[in-house]
Amino acid sequence: MDNFLTKWNEVLKDMENLVTAVSYDLYIETLEPIKVENNRLVLLASTATTKKQLLKLHKEKLLSTVQNHFDNVDDIIVLDPTEKDSFLEDVKEAEKILETEQVLNEKNKLNEKYTFENFVVGKSNQIVYSAAINVSKNPGKNFNPLFIYGGVGLGKTHLLHAIGNYIRKNNKTIKLLYVTCEQFMNAFTKALKEKNIEAFRQRYREVDVLMVDDIQFISNKTGTQEEFFHTFNDLYQNNKQIILASDKHPRNIEALEERLRSRFAGGLIQDIQKPDFETRLAILQKKVEIENYTVDSDVLEYLAEKIDTNIRELEGNLNKVVSLSILIGKNNATMLEAEEALRDITSSQAQNLTIDKIMDVVCNYYKVKKVDLVGKKKNKEIVDPRQICIYLITELIDVPLMTIGNAFGGRDHTTIMHARDKIAQNIKVDKSLKTNVEDLIAMIKSDN
Ligand code: ADP
Ligand code: MG
């Protein structure tokens, strides 16, 4: 706690230099820091009016100052006194959910909400849905392995759990194991360390259905790949069903042994696509029904229209809208809360960012020429800004990797992907890079 308050005092000190004395006295010094929750710093303003003014005048400055002192914070939440109690209640609720999820994972239990009944079928996922149903009814028969791949938040985990829930309900004799790739890896490493590899092998090889989620994480893990290869063969030869989910097609999983790649491709590889508007709307309606929310119907249409990235985002924003309406004591969520909830998204769309604009800011920041930025030079002084620029574009605007490649002198999409992933990785360990990137984002966003 001490540490928490010390950091807050440092924020105060910095802010004193960043805003006028009047602003500081009125809006900043009066804030009461509450806690860091879910990477957000929660602050209490003295009144609703000071909260409003603070957010209007100094939100960006405060956020970036907070981020300078709190490593793990990526947003701030300012409450007014009337909102405090219900917010903290909500947080408790969310923490409970998180705990249950962890327990579920440890005990190899499945999320009972992830069923076929709760899965909305549309053009984007109908084939993979049929395959999942088929495998649930005839495990080990038709599609082995079933390999499901697609972007984040599109329903892969939901489908694996749905298969599991279906089988457990309809055939209690079938032994089924659901693990994430990470759990498989950890169990394997632990077994090696504790010298009980036999028990490990037995656990994985005695099942009738093995599901491994996020199998792409096996990339680069030579030992685990070797072990998984043998597990796979053992199960396969005994007609046991294997189901894998990944965010990439096997051919795009880097550093994957060829023999595993070809095993993965030996059954059915099926992708899951982004849902279209009708499906997005149907998913929201389903969610409202499951959670017993009261939401105006124009709100659902608005959300389905604005959020086309993935289903997790869609659900997250629906929850946000409902929480907002509860916070202000309403019985049903209306367009007012929806617009408030989506303000960040719509304002970044309205900013009309372009690749060119981001390049300009980066060139200016690192003092490099645009011809060099998009050119072939390979010295660090150019390569670093180039990769950072690529990363920023992928973070800030929604354009295909190929388009970005073209803007960078015809590089192909894997080069773009590589640059993006490299910076994303480096930011986690390199604090000064992180600060630079944050500076750049702030500049790009204010530069219009
Ligand atoms: P992934 O594993 O592909 O990243 P998840 O399976 O975790 O995605 O899905 C993210 C969220 O979206 C989950 O809450 C899930 O229930 C929901 N979801 C995904 N697809 C659908 C669908 N077709 N119908 C209903 N809910 C869905
Ligand atoms: Mg998943």
Side-chain angles (χ1 to χ4, degrees), residues 20 66 87 91 94 132 171 185 191 318 326 345 354 391-392 410 415 436:
T20 62
V66 164
F87 179 83
V91 167
N171 191 338
M185 260 166 348
L318 174 64
I326 294 171
I345 300 178
T354 59
Y391 169 80
L392 288 168
T415 312
N436 291 348

Side-chain angles (χ1 to χ4, degrees), residues 3 47 60 87 112 118 157 160 165 175 179 187 194 229 267 269 280 288 300-301 311 331 355 357 365 377 424 438 447:
N3 196 7
T47 66
E60 303 269 299
F87 179 83
E112 59 193 28
N118 289 346
T157 298
L160 295 196
N165 281 318
K175 258 195 170 166
V179 286
E194 295 171 0
F229 178 74
I269 301 185
R280 297 200 294 272
V288 163
L300 298 187
E301 276 174 36
I311 299 166
N331 293 328
I355 293 183
K357 202 178 264 170
Y365 188 86
K377 285 193 183 159
E438 284 161 359
D447 182 49

Side-chain angles (χ1 to χ4, degrees), residues 94-112 161 168 177-180 183 203:
E95 280 168 358
K96 251 195 261 154
I97 294 175
L98 206 70
E99 258 170 44
T100 356
E101 278 188 358
Q102 277 160 2
V103 174
L104 283 182
N105 281 340
E106 275 157 24
K107 295 205 175 145
N108 181 31
K109 286 214 179 115
L110 299 162
N111 185 335
E112 59 193 28
H161 284 237
R168 282 203 179 148
L177 183 57
Y178 165 90
V179 286
T180 61
Q183 287 170 326
R203 172 156 198 246

Side-chain angles (χ1 to χ4, degrees), residues 113-114 118-122 125 150-159 213-214 245 272 279 283 286-287 310-312 315:
K113 282 193 180 162
Y114 289 176
N118 289 346
F119 191 83
V120 174
V121 184
N125 57 24
V152 284
L154 295 182
K156 302 181 294 295
T157 298
H158 186 135
L159 271 181
D213 204 347
D214 288 317
I272 188 162
T279 314
I283 288 171
K286 186 95 205 176
K287 179 89 179 165
N310 72 52
I311 299 166
R312 190 169 298 133
E315 286 186 343

Side-chain angles (χ1 to χ4, degrees), residues 250-291:
R251 80 169 97 83
N252 296 329
I253 301 179
E254 282 169 37
L256 179 66
E257 281 184 47
E258 211 38 57
R259 55 181 184 167
L260 264 184
R261 211 185 295 272
S262 76
R263 286 293 183 287
F264 290 173
L268 177 69
I269 301 185
Q270 187 55 54
D271 69 335
I272 188 162
Q273 295 278 340
K274 283 189 185 176
D276 57 20
F277 173 79
E278 277 74 27
T279 314
R280 297 200 294 272
L281 187 59
I283 288 171
L284 288 171
Q285 285 160 343
K286 186 95 205 176
K287 179 89 179 165
V288 163
E289 179 197 314
I290 296 171
E291 301 292 336

